[in-house]
Amino acid sequence: MKHINIKDLALELNLSVSTVSKALNDSYEISEETKNRVLETAARLNYVPNPYASSLRGRKSKNIGVVIPEVADSFFSLAINGIESVAKTKGYHVLICLTHESFENERTILKEFQGGRVDGVLLSVSTETTQCDHINDLIANGLPLVFFDRACDEVETAKITTDDFESAYKATTHLIQQKADRIAFLSISKSLSISNKRLEGYLKALEDHDIKADQKYIIDCSNDAEQNYLLIKKLLQQKNKPNGIIASVEKLTTPIYTACKDLEMKVPEELKIVCFSNLEIATILNPSLTTITQPAFEMGKMAATLLFKALENRNFSLVKEDFMIQSALVVRDSSG
Amino acid sequence: MKHINIKDLALELNLSVSTVSKALNDSYEISEETKNRVLETAARLNYVPNPYASSLRGRKSKNIGVVIPEVADSFFSLAINGIESVAKTKGYHVLICLTHESFENERTILKEFQGGRVDGVLLSVSTETTQCDHINDLIANGLPLVFFDRACDEVETAKITTDDFESAYKATTHLIQQKADRIAFLSISKSLSISNKRLEGYLKALEDHDIKADQKYIIDCSNDAEQNYLLIKKLLQQKNKPNGIIASVEKLTTPIYTACKDLEMKVPEELKIVCFSNLEIATILNPSLTTITQPAFEMGKMAATLLFKALENRNFSLVKEDFMIQSALVVRDSSG
DNA sequence: AGCAATTACGAAAACGGTTTCGTAAATAAA
DNA sequence: TTTATTTACGAAACCGTTTTCGTAATTGCT
């Protein structure tokens, strides 16, 4: 079965290519009768237009690029669903690109996007990203970009974030109220703004409750699960070990619980735990995990909606603006 | 900043478009000196070729389509990583499309692919998929397709699966050896071949150990979490309730554990649990979850490798063949 | 030196659509 | 009836590449 193009279709119909094209696009220039004939024959011959040919002429790809560190993370997979739900209504496709937390990958991907592969970009930067020239280049090239969750402050565009400062503040205060006074904070990156804001919220809560922050309770985790496990274990073995812990990222849940089990620490009696996490299974952990749950689906949806606003209105441009959606502190047994 | 195309580049260099194109593609027809000049200027002007123009002319998109039910599932997200790892080495992009377990979505996506958006397809069918005309159409249209995990037996092409029958058999046998004699099986679909094979493995194991299968222990779950929870709860409340349970899909983990907790059933004493699951957090559930873990990354990698073999060799064609990789039964406390 | 082969480039066609513009026929307005 | 407008279509340009083919200029061979 040969693939059928618009020329074949026109030939079959004894019409010109342009008429067929207009009929397929429901142009006012074409009579109802002809439109129906064309549509019918197109269906019969199983004609599917080549999107790249359309892109080329129309100078738009009908694709948006979604650049994220990882797909095996419930925040991102839920956000993808949110993004996809709006892209679908707009007739757009979603091109998901993974950086695997590598700056070099991120740069390469954004560079490629400048060739016209996508019409706009949603980005959550990698942990390695400390400078944003590659992002500014993209924008200078005319591609609208909206950050979601992990943003770069130096870039003049909109971002959808959650109240990282406040939720870390809330979580810390919650632990303090639960009588924890040596609270550790597990960070994922020194450069990521969300990580820093969460850290600041944590520090502010300590300060407001007259607890002195201690550098030894602030741990920089890496992208390596085994190494994180060792770091956490070490943290929990030192003298004056923490009796509270706040993990700023979901993937630390497993090493934390594993370390507690291996060290036979009682949760929440000896150690109270809060994680930034969207894991559905938080409820069935034992003890069930207190989480700060981000509105992942909503954030994806909102980011995409904003991006489309920029794509559809040529005179609407994305300015530096922070759309903040609240996360929820869901108290469960691990901090009881 | 205007976007630069090959014509601008040629103008800047005082060369013809064709020469520039050949230089960029490292053609033997172009002198080293010219190549260097072109490369240099291209970098300076930040030239990025339009992939769609190349696609159009070259009649290939350098994209492969990955069609899966859901991305928020650890099997699929890991498989994506496997697929991506090989696509990257081939200079291909991965277009991920989600069916959300809807047959209609699946059909629409595959239909669209026939327009040339992708050069080949990796597919894991939706639970609703009972007939395969849409898949056969795609293949008849010249697009190579490889199944992974969830396949359609009626389609003449290769598939990468795991030993669903054997692993269900092993899991069931394991539960029997742990003294369970009323073992329930939770299915996700009556039509999905993997679901049926797992069911058969379960039934065979019962038979081989002289346990009579009982229809009331075989539950068809849906795509709705709340409903599944109710089904499971009902299962665990009937008289002669099961003392063993095998869940054929990861997303049933939460409702099972939740139901056990709500009904105050002791695991594993009163109920032994095994799940088909790739969840990392299986280890930190309490009790830790015995799983049948599929080689998700490997399967993605293998499926992609096979697809590229078909893409690269015009005379290699995908025949009906089942590449089976073994899953591992990882015994943990929930079946102890 | 004379001819063939090679080297290095350019012109133009092609990929599959969309869009602009031109126009014959039909209809409306004068 | 004559002129203006509308309707319905076709020819051709165009989007940004790659590729085929043609050809001067250089090199190699005898």
Side-chain angles (χ1 to χ4, degrees), chain A residues 16 18-19 22 29 31 34 56-57 59:
Chain A
S16 77
S18 40
T19 302
K22 288 173 195 165
E29 290 184 19
S31 71
T34 306
L56 195 54
R57 171 66 221 225
R59 273 125 160 284

Side-chain angles (χ1 to χ4, degrees), chain A residues 28 30-31 37 39 57 72 94 118 139 152-153 166 188 194 202 211 213 219 241 255 260 284 286 315:
Chain A
Y28 69 97
I30 307 299
S31 71
R37 265 186 68 217
L39 254 26
R57 171 66 221 225
V94 175
V118 299
I139 294 175
C152 254
D153 285 330
E166 287 76 12
I188 27 160
I194 58 162
Y202 156 82
I211 297 179
I219 310 288
K241 60 182 174 235
C260 289
I284 60 164
N286 196 318
N315 40 2

Side-chain angles (χ1 to χ4, degrees), chain B residues 15-16 18-19 22 29 31 34 56-57 59:
Chain B
L15 286 173
S16 77
S18 39
T19 303
K22 287 174 197 164
E29 290 185 18
S31 70
T34 307
L56 193 54
R57 172 62 221 224
R59 275 129 157 281

Side-chain angles (χ1 to χ4, degrees), chain B residues 178-237:
Chain B
Q178 299 292 321
K179 314 278 184 232
D181 53 0
R182 299 185 305 281
I183 301 174
F185 183 87
L186 307 187
S187 161
I188 28 160
S189 160
K190 285 182 201 269
S191 52
L192 230 47
S193 77
I194 58 163
S195 195
N196 290 331
K197 281 177 192 157
R198 290 173 188 180
L199 178 60
E200 285 163 23
Y202 155 83
L203 291 172
K204 184 67 163 61
L206 291 185
E207 189 191 325
D208 286 356
H209 294 84
D210 297 315
I211 299 178
K212 216 170 76 204
D214 190 334
Q215 203 56 42
K216 77 174 176 190
Y217 292 147
I218 300 175
I219 310 288
D220 274 310
C221 292
S222 72
N223 201 20
D224 177 68
E226 181 59 21
Q227 201 179 320
N228 289 339
Y229 167 75
L230 294 173
L231 276 173
I232 292 165
K233 203 163 160 183
K234 199 172 126 206
L235 168 73
L236 296 179
Q237 281 179 307

Side-chain angles (χ1 to χ4, degrees), chain B residues 84-103:
Chain B
E84 211 218 5
S85 72
V86 354
K88 204 171 179 182
T89 68
K90 305 287 185 180
Y92 266 67
H93 281 254
V94 174
L95 192 63
I96 298 165
C97 295
L98 308 176
T99 63
H100 298 293
E101 303 284 15
S102 145
F103 174 71

Side-chain angles (χ1 to χ4, degrees), chain B residues 259-319:
Chain B
C260 288
K261 196 163 147 194
D262 293 353
L263 298 173
E264 294 182 357
M265 285 187 78
K266 287 209 179 89
V267 179
E269 294 80 358
E270 296 176 59
L271 182 71
K272 300 185 198 306
I273 305 175
V274 183
C275 275
F276 280 80
S277 170
N278 295 274
L279 279 174
E280 183 201 89
I281 46 81
T283 56
I284 61 165
L285 291 176
N286 195 320
S288 61
L289 176 64
T290 295
T291 59
I292 293 160
T293 301
Q294 298 175 278
F297 185 92
E298 275 307 316
M299 286 172 74
K301 202 167 153 182
M302 199 155 163
T305 305
L306 202 58
L307 183 64
F308 279 112
K309 211 166 149 188
L311 285 175
E312 288 169 351
N313 283 313
R314 283 198 54 78
N315 40 3
F316 169 87
S317 77
L318 294 163
V319 294

